[in-house]
Amino acid sequence: MRRLRGIAHFVATCRGTLLVTTLALVWLGLVAVPPARAADAVLVGAGDIAGCSSSGAPATASLVGSTAGTVFTLGDNVYNSGTAQEFSACYAPTWGRFKGRTRPAVGNHEFLTAAAAGYFNYFGAAAGPKGKGWYSYDAGGWHVAVLNSNCAKVGCAKGSEQERWLRADLAAHGNQCTLAYWHHARFVSDAAHGDSPQVGPFWDALYQYGADLVLSAHAHVYERFAPQTPAGKSDPAHGIREIVVGTGGISHYSFTGFGPNSQASDSNTFGVLKLTLHPGSYDWRFMPQAGKTFSDSGHGTCHGRP
């Protein structure tokens, strides 16, 4: 017994010495301590969402309600004009249930009410500065920029207040992975709207700073593009992947031919996009409304600046 006690004392002494030695080496900088890894973040959402006469928003709200994480909206949150009454009567009973975890973007229908007052008053500080509507936040290890693509109202051109803010924001956040979203899709193959070149300066800045993913809506379809340059040229190494998710519930558009780099599309399914943001990579999955079968999923890796 005495011998066992001696062995136990010896082991405890060695462990204590090892701990003290290790702590001293860490303090002196001779032993590297790996940085804490940011936890995965989940984002879920869509655009072109609610109308009091549409059954689509309740169906997509059910999907959002079953998914934990931050809710994003891609504009045209409520139809037809984004009034306070429409937000109260049409949006609040469906997607409004998740208002406390929603990071919204503003669409063109909200601006049918002067200065998009219904939108800014409903979402409050979560919508960014009133009258501007652009802001950013972090999700796990990712940086997320939310922009206002109503260019005739707020300006999107190179040198505009918003474009200068975006560049300053990207410069101030050196995250390995960057995501941005707004309403009008830069590239889309729908028959109603098509491409929105006025948001090109957003793409120029995001591409320059190595952004990985852009989400948009406006077109009431789902369409995913391969990583591409601001000019729409394939760029697997440093291009931005765009996913158009105008499937929140209001209506469906059709397609007319498909643009370069279009990889997946659907024009008759309401649903939401779920993003799982890992440190250094991401997964996407389109979740369809109950009774529909279309889906789309995949994995992407973050990259640096070109």
Side-chain angles (χ1 to χ4, degrees):
M1 179 64 71
R2 184 175 300 171
R3 182 180 180 185
L4 290 175
R5 287 175 181 168
I7 293 172
H9 176 73
F10 174 76
V11 169
T13 302
C14 290
R15 284 176 175 171
T17 302
L18 177 61
L19 175 61
V20 171
T21 302
T22 301
L23 290 173
L25 290 172
V26 168
W27 185 80
L28 290 170
L30 300 178
V31 173
V33 178
R37 290 173 62 86
D40 290 350
V42 172
L43 272 64
V44 60
D48 303 289
I49 301 169
C52 282
S53 61
S54 171
S55 63
T60 54
S62 178
L63 297 169
V64 174
S66 66
T67 307
T70 298
V71 178
F72 64 85
T73 72
L74 300 175
D76 285 3
N77 302 282
V78 68
Y79 287 77
N80 189 47
S81 304
T83 64
Q85 181 180 3
E86 287 168 342
F87 269 103
S88 176
C90 312
Y91 184 89
T94 57
W95 283 54
R97 305 201 314 265
F98 322 114
K99 182 179 176 181
R101 58 182 176 113
T102 296
R103 297 284 193 163
V106 64
N108 56 291
H109 276 265
E110 281 89 351
F111 273 95
L112 295 177
T113 293
Y119 167 84
F120 285 109
N121 290 337
Y122 180 79
F123 285 110
K130 184 173 289 191
K132 295 183 179 180
W134 56 82
Y135 62 95
S136 67
Y137 62 96
D138 286 333
W142 284 62
H143 187 62
V144 183
V146 184
L147 301 173
N148 184 346
S149 59
N150 292 277
C151 301
K153 302 291 185 180
V154 297
C156 306
K158 183 175 177 60
S160 66
E161 180 186 3
Q162 181 173 199
E163 192 265 355
R164 286 185 282 110
W165 172 88
L166 174 60
R167 287 184 174 275
D169 182 73
L170 294 172
H173 295 86
N175 301 55
Q176 180 186 7
C177 305
T178 301
L179 159 69
Y181 58 85
W182 60 80
H183 183 59
H184 298 79
R186 172 64 186 91
F187 303 101
V188 67
S189 307
D190 74 297
H193 297 306
D195 295 351
S196 297
Q198 67 268 24
V199 299
F202 295 167
W203 270 71
D204 291 340
L206 290 162
Y207 183 79
Q208 179 182 336
Y209 281 92
D212 304 283
L213 187 61
V214 162
L215 309 179
S216 292
H218 195 45
H220 301 181
V221 299
Y222 177 86
E223 188 170 16
R224 173 174 55 81
F225 289 82
Q228 54 191 334
T229 70
K233 303 296 184 182
S234 177
D235 184 354
H238 295 103
I240 302 173
R241 184 186 306 281
E242 183 196 48
I243 305 179
V244 180
V245 199
T247 56
I250 192 61
S251 67
H252 298 300
Y253 289 170
S254 61
F255 287 107
T256 173
F258 289 96
N261 308 310
S262 178
Q263 291 186 316
S265 60
D266 181 86
S267 60
N268 61 12
T269 305
F270 294 131
V272 299
L273 181 70
K274 178 183 177 181
L275 295 174
T276 304
L277 307 178
H278 312 291
S281 66
Y282 60 96
D283 301 321
W284 75 83
R285 181 162 71 95
F286 178 79
M287 302 190 298
Q289 67 186 100
K292 293 285 189 174
T293 59
F294 171 78
S295 189
D296 180 48
S297 61
H299 177 80
T301 302
C302 300
H303 54 74
R305 298 185 185 188

